[in-house]
Amino acid sequence: MGRSILLNNYVKNDPYSQLRKQSFEEWTERFHETLALYTLYHKLLDVINDNYGIVASQMDNSLPIRISRKDPKEEIEYRIVYYRASFRDWGWHPDE
């Protein structure tokens, strides 16, 4: 039908905002690729979480981590995170 989508975040002088409009076919393709990447990314995060969950279960459901900061000042901090197997998540306090 020759219709297109006009994007409302177009800024003429912004080199990172040069997409002013796209066809529905282009939008459908972009949307499909975005959903595919989103799905694969979350599957990868689930695999990583499962693997670290296995490691944590062998270490009393806890793992040491290093937090590196550059702002507001450069520093390194070491903390312990705790794994809750029933929820498959992590927290700063052990599951009671």
Side-chain angles (χ1 to χ4, degrees):
M1 292 177 44
R3 296 178 12 184
S4 19
I5 300 170
L6 292 174
L7 304 173
N8 64 1
N9 62 347
Y10 172 75
V11 179
K12 185 176 183 175
N13 297 325
D14 185 354
Y16 301 105
S17 174
Q18 293 303 305
L19 185 61
R20 183 172 193 157
K21 71 176 184 174
Q22 64 184 29
S23 69
F24 282 102
E25 292 79 19
E26 291 172 326
W27 180 85
T28 303
E29 190 173 313
R30 188 179 309 254
F31 184 73
H32 178 267
E33 289 176 3
T34 301
L35 283 180
L37 287 171
Y38 176 85
T39 302
L40 292 172
Y41 179 70
H42 276 276
K43 284 184 180 183
L44 175 64
L45 289 178
D46 284 343
V47 169
I48 291 169
N49 193 45
D50 290 342
N51 287 339
Y52 275 105
I54 291 169
V55 172
S57 69
Q58 298 167 354
M59 300 177 66
D60 198 26
N61 288 328
S62 64
L63 281 177
I65 63 168
R66 184 179 83 178
I67 302 169
S68 300
R69 293 189 180 92
K70 291 197 181 260
D71 189 39
K73 66 177 187 169
E74 191 167 333
E75 65 180 341
I76 295 176
E77 178 183 354
Y78 294 92
R79 303 271 311 258
I80 301 290
V81 290
Y82 298 93
Y83 183 68
R84 295 188 308 172
S86 56
F87 293 102
R88 295 179 57 224
D89 69 352
W90 299 84
W92 297 114
H93 306 285
D95 198 14
E96 305 273 333

